[in-house]
Amino acid sequence: MTEDVKKQETADASSDKKLKTAVLTIGDQQIELPILYGTEGNPVIDIRALGKHGYFTYDPGFLATASCQSKITFIDGAKGVLLHRGYPIYELAMQTSYMEVCYLLLHKELPNREQLSEFTNQVRRHTMVHEQLSKMFLAYRRDSHPMAIMCGIAGALSAFYHTNININDPKDRESVAIRLIAKMPTLAAMSYKYSIGQPFMYPKNNLSYTGNFLYMMFANPCEEYVVNPVIEKALDRIFILHADHEQNASTSCVRFAGTTGANPFACIAAGIAALWGPAHGGANEACLRMLENIGSIDRIPEFIARAKDPKDPFRLMGFGHRVYKNYDPRAVVMKETCHEVLEELHIQNHPILDVAMELERIALSDPYFIERKLYPNVDFYSGIILNAIGIPTSMFTVIFALARTIGWITNWIEMQEDPSSKIGRPRQLYVGVPKREVPPIYRR
Ligand code: CMC
């Protein structure tokens, strides 16, 4: 018997032991519900038929609800595992580039040299944005937060690509993805340049994807700008670490908007808006501001006490995660990268890093955080790296949005291709006033 056949038999035997249905008993009614098994992760009870029996399920915040099937990313929150198309995030971050990860997410496999070069060239050809779009920036207050600009400008792309997109055509869907990957760095850098009153820099396509973004951010027409390879590599890794993360709030918003058949660029704008909040992508900006606010190691106990006080809304930014109940694997790479970057940039004393490390040490030994399984997440160290490489704090969440665009659009494509996709339309538990008659105005 070959090894493969043996493996198959073992798999069949164990799949026989898997429960096929769950039975829900309500009064004298017994409802059988199929149990679905993915390739990894928890079994999922298929409750789609429940509505027919006159019941809905109640799960605000989707604590125990799978909103879709996906083949893109897998997270095991208890073990701190994150896989993209099966590959562990640590290996991707250490051994590949952001362009390779974009290709992997979009085309399901890692590219070979030729495929990577063709893909990179494809992206390069679309880095410029329509000249008319740049005029839109003028409508924003000159000191606007770059995320406020990004919400509007990304949505405005839908005005430039609407009538000529057929979302049912796979070629058009791919071209949307390429355009988005290519144009997001340009828009992100423009939003920053506008907020500081400097001229926009056109993309320079002989640079790498990440080098080009740094150029558009930091070059100006009066001086030479040379991309620092240490910074370029670190930022590229940050892009990889943010590329996708399963059905988080912003990705779910993109998918949700997409289920209506809306323009994909408008769907991405929905994702950007959701990402901005401090409980999601906005945490990186909030985390650095918090660390700066703490300022010195001796003030940490005061902030830990505040985080633990149920009456105080303060939370330790960069700590905790809905899915990870273990160290966020992205935070592991971030922490390592943070030390590497500071060393390579010859930054010996970094008081904020000292505060971060001590805060992490104290929090991880405090029963409050241990009991609630609150560990540092991706945003805990990313702000320190971004700060060290000269990215302004207001741009942190924009960087997240730029990098997450590939995850959003890959999820949007997967949703469009899935024959079981339906318009997103949850039900509710109505707790308002029961039916009543409208009284005439003189009786109110
Ligand atoms: N600091 C102090 N307490 C916390 C924190 C925190 N950062 N996070 C959760 N808790 C407590 C919370 O008060 C609650 O305690 P209790 O049971 O006594 O009421 C318990 O832990 C569970 O919290 P929850 O709000 O029910 O958990 P959630 O899964 O709904 O929230 C979270 C997840 C990420 C929104 C939350 O941990 C948080 O607000 N963290 C800070 C913001 C942050 O760093 N966000 C970035 C997430 S990673 C990047 C991304 O993918 O977007």
Side-chain angles (χ1 to χ4, degrees):
M1 196 185 288
T2 66
E3 208 39 46
D4 278 355
V5 174
K6 258 196 239 160
K7 264 193 209 148
Q8 189 54 49
E9 286 195 350
T10 324
D12 289 346
S14 63
S15 69
D16 280 348
K17 282 191 212 136
K18 285 177 178 170
L19 292 173
K20 301 229 166 19
T21 50
V23 180
L24 179 66
T25 306
I26 307 172
D28 52 9
Q29 232 191 126
Q30 294 223 315
I31 305 170
E32 270 201 13
L33 300 167
I35 303 180
L36 311 177
Y37 294 89
T39 43
E40 299 264 11
N42 293 0
V44 170
I45 301 173
D46 180 348
I47 55 156
R48 279 175 289 184
L50 208 52
K52 277 200 314 233
H53 297 273
Y55 290 95
F56 297 131
T57 51
Y58 179 61
D59 186 16
F62 300 104
L63 291 170
T65 297
S67 62
C68 62
Q69 278 192 23
S70 182
K71 293 180 179 165
I72 306 167
T73 292
F74 171 72
I75 303 175
D76 183 333
K79 295 194 185 126
V81 170
L82 168 62
L83 310 175
H84 293 320
R85 303 278 186 202
Y87 295 113
I89 188 66
Y90 189 84
E91 289 174 34
L92 290 173
M94 295 302 170
Q95 297 171 36
T96 70
S97 64
Y98 180 66
M99 276 293 99
E100 285 170 84
V101 172
C102 286
Y103 186 99
L104 170 69
L105 292 173
L106 208 52
H107 294 292
K108 307 180 176 83
E109 291 297 339
L110 280 166
N112 61 28
R113 275 184 213 283
E114 289 79 49
Q115 288 165 330
L116 179 62
S117 143
E118 197 185 312
F119 180 71
T120 311
N121 283 333
Q122 239 182 330
V123 171
R124 271 198 190 113
R125 280 198 293 276
H126 292 281
T127 49
M128 278 206 295
V129 294
H130 197 290
E131 210 48 33
Q132 268 186 321
L133 196 71
S134 58
K135 307 285 182 290
M136 258 199 78
F137 283 82
L138 298 175
Y140 285 87
R141 259 176 74 129
R142 68 192 160 100
D143 58 350
S144 300
H145 192 289
M147 272 305 273
I149 302 181
M150 287 303 284
C151 288
I153 296 281
L157 283 174
S158 58
F160 290 83
Y161 308 103
H162 186 60
T163 44
N164 52 351
I165 295 178
N166 175 4
I167 59 171
N168 300 313
D169 181 343
K171 280 214 176 72
D172 278 15
R173 292 199 288 259
E174 192 187 335
S175 119
V176 168
I178 298 290
R179 284 201 162 99
L180 273 164
I181 303 166
K183 292 183 200 306
M184 282 300 271
T186 314
L187 295 179
M190 286 169 91
S191 71
Y192 173 58
K193 287 295 198 191
Y194 183 76
S195 74
I196 57 165
Q198 281 192 11
F200 299 142
M201 297 300 288
Y202 286 103
K204 233 185 187 178
N205 289 346
N206 60 341
L207 296 172
S208 72
Y209 183 83
T210 307
N212 189 26
F213 173 64
L214 285 166
Y215 167 81
M216 291 186 288
M217 281 282 294
F218 296 118
N220 68 60
C222 318
E223 286 160 22
E224 268 305 299
Y225 176 81
V226 180
V227 176
N228 178 330
V230 175
I231 294 179
E232 186 181 7
K233 186 168 160 240
L235 191 57
D236 198 73
R237 196 177 280 171
I238 290 180
F239 287 171
I240 295 176
L241 294 173
H242 288 98
D244 190 45
H245 211 230
E246 212 224 49
Q247 305 312 317
N248 53 80
S250 57
T251 303
S252 299
C253 280
V254 172
R255 277 192 179 248
F256 221 82
T259 62
T260 68
N263 178 293
F265 294 95
C267 298
I268 297 298
I272 296 176
L275 186 78
W276 194 4
H280 192 6
N284 53 13
E285 181 177 339
C287 181
L288 192 79
R289 293 197 197 284
M290 173 193 79
L291 293 172
E292 283 170 347
N293 197 9
I294 297 175
S296 63
I297 287 173
D298 53 301
R299 291 195 65 206
I300 292 176
E302 179 196 324
F303 284 82
I304 295 268
R306 283 190 59 196
K308 287 159 51 173
D309 180 354
K311 290 192 208 96
D312 190 330
F314 173 78
R315 284 187 167 198
L316 278 194
M317 287 292 129
F319 257 82
H321 198 275
R322 167 62 60 76
V323 183
Y324 293 121
K325 299 304 168 199
N326 200 325
Y327 217 97
D328 179 340
R330 302 167 300 171
V332 178
V333 190
M334 278 298 181
K335 189 174 178 179
E336 233 177 281
T337 310
C338 187
H339 287 287
E340 269 172 40
V341 168
L342 296 183
E343 198 173 303
E344 292 203 50
L345 294 177
H346 308 294
I347 301 175
Q348 257 119 34
N349 292 319
H350 197 294
I352 298 298
L353 178 65
D354 294 344
V355 171
M357 291 202 313
E358 185 59 9
L359 184 66
E360 179 186 348
R361 194 192 63 75
I362 296 178
L364 292 182
S365 55
D366 187 304
Y368 174 94
F369 292 88
I370 296 170
E371 278 157 24
R372 289 167 181 77
K373 298 190 167 67
L374 300 171
Y375 292 85
N377 60 47
V378 69
D379 293 320
F380 193 66
Y381 284 100
S382 67
I384 299 173
I385 310 177
L386 290 171
N387 175 267
I389 64 182
I391 304 277
T393 314
S394 63
M395 282 297 288
F396 289 3
T397 313
V398 177
I399 303 262
F400 196 154
L402 183 174
R404 182 55 59 84
T405 297
I406 181 62
W408 290 331
I409 199 64
T410 307
N411 272 275
W412 177 84
I413 290 176
E414 185 177 69
M415 186 267 302
Q416 297 294 342
E417 286 172 352
D418 182 352
S420 66
S421 273
K422 282 186 175 302
I423 182 170
R425 178 57 173 94
R427 300 307 302 262
Q428 62 171 9
L429 173 65
Y430 177 68
V431 291
V433 181
K435 187 180 173 201
R436 52 182 169 163
E437 276 175 17
V438 177
I441 195 158
Y442 57 84
R443 268 209 251 128
R444 282 179 233 158

